[in-house]
Amino acid sequence: MTRSRRRLGTCREVFGSCTTTRPDGDPVPSANAPPLVLPYDDIVPAIGTPGAFFDRGSAVLGRARIGRGAAFGPFAVVRADGHVVNTGDDFFLGAHATVHISHDLYGSTVGDRVTVGRNSIVHACTIGDDCVLEDDVVVLDGAAVGRGSVLAAGSVVFPRTALPPGHWCAGSPAKALRPLEAGEARAVRERVRATARACDTDCVRDFAIDGADGAYVAATVVGRAQLVLDAASSIWFGCVLHAPDQPVRIGARSNVQDNTVMRALRRPIEVGADTTIGHNVCLEDCRIGARALVGMGSRLAPGTVVEDDVFVAAGTFTDEGQVLAGGSLWGGRPARPIAALGDSLRKVTAQAAAMYCAYAAQFARREAALEARSHRGD
């Protein structure tokens, strides 16, 4: 195994034209910058016109079809690698929100006039016309949200759940609590759209990387960090890294999915081999073992230790200093052991790590080709 050391600085090409600079010289990108667009399996995303709006750091990737008049907030990600994503017209995706698929099992289908708030996740599911997802919502694989419903902030829709149309839904697991009043969904939609582009993430890419063969840091990852990346490890689109003085170590074949935040302020962040950190997770000063999966939308408080062979359910929160013992499924707020880790979840964890290695290799090649064309002025 060979390793290389390199430093990544701010990349203008990723974020479009920059009209001003900060006092430290870093560029401030203009609004409506072109998104990062990359094909997957030679299929280029289709983005409807007229009226598409993309803020800084946004990305549309793979087998995605975006309807007319879409609006993407800063670092919003639509990623369609293992399956397809189809969104209707007038789709709004807030800052650091993510739309993804479940390998070859489920795509994502989003109706017309759908609004998705900041840091929310639409994952391998169906969202009906005129739905509104407030901030920090997670909708999981195979779920269906009925037309015109509202998901309250922080809700988690469990896999294969069906929520009825026209309801206010909340909780983890999310449940339909009451029918919406006349005009209520429209009022929530306007409020979310007025606030969900707000984002204090800047475009600095100040990374000192000690990387092994095949290590990949996606083009819209930002922040300041010392990264130690083992072979075939990856950090995905829209992730934000705050680790100026403590290292972030990612083990071989492990991946940190889109829009995750990693803060290593008092101690290193360490992730063992063959581990997946899901979309929009927050990791602070924590250690995660090998062959683990941390579900999307989870928050691991400072000092958390996740031992080897742990599956953390989506939307789980830990207490500061909590230890999640190995060989178990954990979930809840705060996290608690739910069951022994069975063969099926161990298989899911192993398959996820292997699949993301393959996805990362393809996107790395596409990014390298795009960068080469940019340098040639094509």
Side-chain angles (χ1 to χ4, degrees):
M1 179 179 69
T2 60
R3 303 188 71 91
S4 63
R5 296 180 182 271
R6 61 193 188 278
R7 177 171 288 276
L8 296 182
T10 303
C11 292
R12 288 177 178 265
E13 307 92 273
V14 172
F15 303 108
S17 60
C18 298
T19 58
T20 60
T21 57
R22 299 186 179 86
D24 60 4
D26 290 321
V28 178
S30 62
N32 207 18
L36 175 67
V37 175
L38 294 174
Y40 185 83
D41 280 350
D42 296 322
I43 300 175
V44 178
I47 300 174
T49 57
F53 178 92
F54 295 93
D55 214 319
R56 67 189 188 275
S58 57
V60 183
L61 310 155
R63 297 180 280 180
R65 296 182 63 86
I66 309 299
R68 296 171 295 178
F72 282 45
F75 301 95
V77 175
V78 169
R79 202 175 107 216
D81 29 34
H83 215 298
V84 298
V85 171
N86 292 306
T87 76
D89 295 340
D90 190 23
F91 174 51
F92 179 93
L93 190 61
H96 284 289
T98 304
V99 180
H100 193 223
I101 52 78
S102 181
H103 308 305
D104 59 354
L105 297 176
Y106 297 107
S108 282
T109 301
V110 178
D112 293 332
R113 300 172 300 278
V114 169
T115 299
V116 178
R118 283 176 295 199
N119 203 46
S120 288
I121 309 164
V122 173
H123 198 270
C125 60
T126 300
I127 309 294
D129 295 345
D130 299 300
C131 286
V132 182
L133 283 60
E134 293 191 320
D135 296 349
D136 300 303
V137 168
V138 181
V139 185
L140 291 167
D141 302 16
V145 182
R147 178 173 183 156
S149 283
V150 174
L151 293 175
S155 298
V156 179
V157 182
F158 280 21
R160 296 172 293 283
T161 297
L163 295 175
H167 277 68
W168 179 271
C169 306
S172 177
K175 297 180 180 180
L177 301 183
R178 59 175 175 81
L180 291 166
E181 298 177 2
E184 186 177 7
R186 178 177 289 275
V188 176
R189 173 187 186 272
E190 292 175 355
R191 172 174 56 78
V192 172
R193 291 196 176 205
T195 59
R197 281 187 55 221
C199 175
D200 60 3
T201 305
D202 62 27
C203 295
V204 172
R205 282 167 59 86
D206 185 7
F207 302 143
I209 300 177
D210 178 2
D213 295 340
Y216 169 60
V217 179
T220 60
V221 178
V222 293
R224 292 183 169 88
Q226 306 170 45
L227 301 176
V228 182
L229 306 178
D230 286 346
S233 59
S234 56
I235 303 176
W236 288 75
F237 302 93
C239 287
V240 181
L241 314 182
H242 300 289
D245 300 314
Q246 299 287 342
V248 173
R249 301 187 179 98
I250 310 296
R253 301 170 300 282
S254 290
N255 62 91
V256 179
Q257 287 299 298
D258 314 274
N259 281 316
T260 282
V261 175
M262 294 190 288
R263 299 189 183 99
L265 303 179
R266 293 179 295 174
R267 65 190 75 178
I269 288 177
E270 299 180 357
V271 177
D274 301 299
T275 286
T276 292
I277 309 298
H279 310 280
N280 296 77
V281 170
C282 183
L283 305 179
E284 298 190 57
D285 296 334
C286 57
R287 177 166 58 84
I288 299 152
R291 302 174 302 282
L293 190 149
V294 178
M296 61 193 80
S298 295
R299 299 181 184 179
L300 303 192
T304 297
V305 175
V306 177
E307 295 183 345
D308 295 346
D309 302 298
V310 167
F311 194 107
V312 180
T316 297
F317 293 3
T318 67
D319 289 333
E320 190 165 347
Q322 189 171 4
V323 178
L324 278 57
S328 297
L329 166 65
W330 289 74
R333 300 177 178 179
R336 64 187 187 279
I338 296 173
L341 192 63
D343 291 342
S344 61
L345 288 182
R346 292 176 189 270
K347 183 177 179 180
V348 167
T349 300
Q351 289 176 336
M355 288 179 181
Y356 285 128
C357 286
Y359 292 167
Q362 183 165 161
F363 281 122
R365 291 194 298 271
R366 296 294 186 180
E367 283 190 25
L370 181 64
E371 185 176 3
R373 289 197 301 272
S374 176
H375 288 162
R376 293 195 305 266
D378 293 357

